Amino acid sequence: MSHPIIFDTDPGVDDAQAIAIALRHPDIELLGMTTTFGNVDVETATHNALLLAQLADADIPVARGSACPMVKPRHPAPKHIHGDNGLGNIELPEVTTQPDPRNAAQFIVDTVNQRPGEVSLVAVGPLGNLAAALQLDPSITGKVKNVIIMGGSIREGGNVTPVAEANIFNDAHAAQRVLTAAWPLTLVGLDVTHRCVLTPEHMARIESAQGELGKVLAGSYAFYREFYRGALGIDGCCPHDSVALAWLVRPELFTTDQGHLHVVTEGPAEGQTLFAPLGRLFIEDRWSLTPEQTVCLDVDGDAVSNWIADTLS
């Protein structure tokens, strides 16, 4: 089965790994990338997306998108995790291509309308581009095939606050709009991405198989690995964004539940994703009025990590 996708991204080390999968996997048709602030500023994200496509010898449109959150000021980029340049501060080749002249929201709307019922949106950064596309053309909710969000946390707790995951926290208002829209959506959050570890052995296989792209993946991985050694005490990294693509291609590796989503936009719990399981009664029905969506709650982490390495080697 072929999966036509738009990959909405803020590369970022783990984004780079996922972009490589989207470029290489035989069952994924990468229609384009849209970029956003998050791990880096949007200019750097756009540069990195263009570079990764160039290194893979792929002619893929890249459309620049959101530079800041919808409502609140932008938090500084996490340079201690991804480096100043988003790719572990390694030396990078020059980029020789240019971004698409359209902004990200327009690119999403145009592409979905050109292929109604076929395109999946895979978003692995803050969700301003998807929120803007909804504002530009609300009818796309009935035209996308799937929306897959790498973000949020149901049971795992947060990674930037006690309760919030980074992508959702970085633009909580956009996330609230996207996660409560009436389109088929799956949340691939920390509950599953923290169960997956890309090991040095995995990366050695990837580096040897991916040529110039492999050198960038391995070099940036080394920086990211050091962060995870201190943060989670693991030897490797959590390949968060690649896990969203694993859900697209290998959903049988995941355990899911159905229910209703909300995002807290103010106060100490800002950015928290709230999940009301389908059919469960609460003191009021307000938590169960949004569309029914899918959340990933568990995963065969070893199988997903091996799938990543196998895809790229």
Side-chain angles (χ1 to χ4, degrees), residues 264-284:
V264 180
T265 57
E266 304 291 339
E270 178 186 351
Q272 182 178 14
T273 43
L274 302 180
F275 176 65
L278 187 66
R280 181 174 171 185
L281 297 178
F282 296 95
I283 194 168
E284 297 178 14

Side-chain angles (χ1 to χ4, degrees), residues 2-295:
S2 176
H3 300 280
I5 70 167
I6 296 171
F7 196 70
D8 188 64
T9 180
D10 57 337
V13 179
D14 57 324
D15 303 71
Q17 298 160 3
I19 289 167
I21 292 172
L23 289 165
R24 301 300 199 195
H25 198 285
D27 295 336
I28 297 175
E29 180 187 0
L30 183 57
L31 303 176
M33 291 186 274
T34 50
T35 61
T36 177
F37 80 96
N39 294 327
V40 290
D41 59 66
V42 72
E43 292 82 9
T44 303
T46 305
H47 171 277
N48 290 349
L50 289 166
L51 173 65
L52 293 162
Q54 177 181 306
L55 291 174
D57 295 320
D59 184 15
I60 302 294
V62 174
R64 182 183 183 275
S66 297
C68 61
M70 288 175 57
V71 175
K72 296 188 175 182
R74 179 166 70 95
H75 289 274
K79 296 180 180 180
H80 64 295
I81 301 176
H82 296 274
D84 295 310
N85 67 357
L87 295 173
N89 290 336
I90 63 173
E91 187 174 348
L92 299 171
E94 292 294 322
V95 172
T96 60
T97 55
Q98 295 294 322
D100 194 276
R102 291 167 290 182
N103 64 48
Q106 189 66 60
F107 181 85
I108 291 169
V109 166
D110 290 348
T111 306
V112 169
N113 279 303
Q114 286 164 6
R115 299 179 64 168
E118 297 183 28
V119 179
S120 294
L121 307 180
V122 183
V124 299
L127 296 174
N129 291 334
L130 272 63
L134 286 171
Q135 182 74 12
L136 190 61
D137 183 358
S139 75
I140 65 170
T141 57
K143 297 175 183 176
V144 298
K145 182 178 181 181
N146 287 299
V147 179
I148 302 170
I149 305 297
M150 190 277 111
S153 173
I154 306 303
R155 299 171 177 168
E156 182 73 2
N159 62 353
V160 292
T161 83
V163 295
E165 180 276 331
N167 289 337
I168 304 301
F169 179 80
N170 277 336
D171 198 346
H173 292 84
Q176 167 68 359
R177 183 172 297 184
V178 170
L179 268 57
T180 60
W183 49 15
L185 182 144
T186 300
L187 194 71
V188 182
L190 300 182
D191 304 273
V192 290
T193 66
H194 274 172
R195 309 283 86 78
C196 305
V197 178
L198 199 64
T199 67
E201 292 74 21
H202 288 137
M203 185 50 65
R205 290 173 56 199
I206 293 168
E207 181 179 12
S208 67
Q210 290 295 322
E212 291 301 310
L213 178 58
K215 293 178 183 177
V216 170
L217 296 178
S220 60
Y221 169 87
F223 188 96
Y224 204 44
R225 176 186 175 192
E226 285 304 308
F227 166 76
Y228 273 98
R229 193 191 307 274
L232 295 182
I234 61 175
D235 187 17
C237 75
C238 294
H240 299 281
D241 297 344
S242 298
V243 182
L245 293 176
W247 162 257
L248 176 74
V249 178
R250 297 289 306 277
E252 72 276 6
L253 299 178
F254 295 77
T255 300
T256 64
D257 200 0
Q258 303 296 120
H260 309 273
L261 290 165
H262 286 276
V263 176
V264 180
T265 57
E266 304 291 339
E270 178 186 351
Q272 182 178 14
T273 43
L274 302 180
F275 176 65
L278 187 66
R280 181 174 171 185
L281 297 178
F282 296 95
I283 194 168
E284 297 178 14
D285 66 357
R286 55 178 155 149
W287 293 277
S288 302
L289 298 178
T290 58
E292 179 185 334
Q293 306 292 12
T294 301
V295 298

